[in-house]
Amino acid sequence: QVRLVESGGGLVQAGGSLRLSCAASGLPFSSNAMGWFRQAPGKEREFVAAVPAINWSGARTSYADSVKGRFTISRDNAKNTVYLQMNSLKPEDTAVYYCAADSNRFRSSNNRHDYDYWGQGTQVTVSS
């Protein structure tokens, strides 16, 4: 059975940092693109970052404009884990953060509908 489990969320002050992890099992992790999305209360789930399973021409990752320069996505295929390092956190980053897997290994999509599997989410709260 496919399972994605997020961890690392919590309560931090503005300007602080958190590192989220997503442990995957039951799927060919190395053949899946992986992404992070977030959802605040009353808002639509929005794209944060993604990394493809196959690199090309240096375009191996993608980020939402709101997090560029602050967040970094990475993956460790040997550990079946994808990470999201979040620095310089702002109150507007407060949301439930979700890990997702895309069976198309050639892309790093920002479209939530391209993803096949989702974790349960981890809460990130940034106080002002």
Side-chain angles (χ1 to χ4, degrees):
Q1 297 180 4
V2 175
R3 186 183 182 196
L4 303 177
V5 181
E6 302 95 336
S7 62
L11 174 63
V12 299
Q13 294 185 346
S17 297
L18 284 174
R19 185 196 189 208
L20 305 183
S21 298
C22 173
S25 61
L27 79 165
F29 182 82
S30 298
S31 298
N32 277 255
M34 301 297 297
W36 287 96
F37 291 75
R38 66 187 182 186
Q39 188 167 21
K43 304 293 184 180
E44 293 292 317
R45 190 168 299 186
E46 67 176 3
F47 171 75
V48 176
V51 57
I54 297 178
N55 301 329
W56 69 273
S57 190
R60 62 186 302 171
T61 59
S62 62
Y63 297 92
D65 288 341
S66 60
V67 306
K68 285 182 179 178
R70 300 189 298 122
F71 291 10
T72 302
I73 187 172
S74 62
R75 66 191 297 160
D76 187 337
N77 288 342
K79 297 181 179 179
N80 287 359
T81 301
V82 62
Y83 305 94
L84 185 68
Q85 178 67 45
M86 306 186 294
N87 299 326
S88 301
L89 283 163
K90 305 174 181 179
E92 51 262 46
D93 295 318
T94 295
V96 177
Y97 282 70
Y98 296 91
C99 174
D102 177 6
S103 61
N104 189 331
R105 62 181 179 175
F106 294 101
R107 66 187 177 192
S108 53
S109 177
N110 63 1
N111 185 347
R112 61 183 289 187
H113 300 293
D114 286 334
Y115 290 82
D116 303 294
Y117 302 102
W118 295 84
Q120 293 301 118
T122 184
Q123 177 71 48
V124 172
T125 302
V126 185
S127 62
S128 60

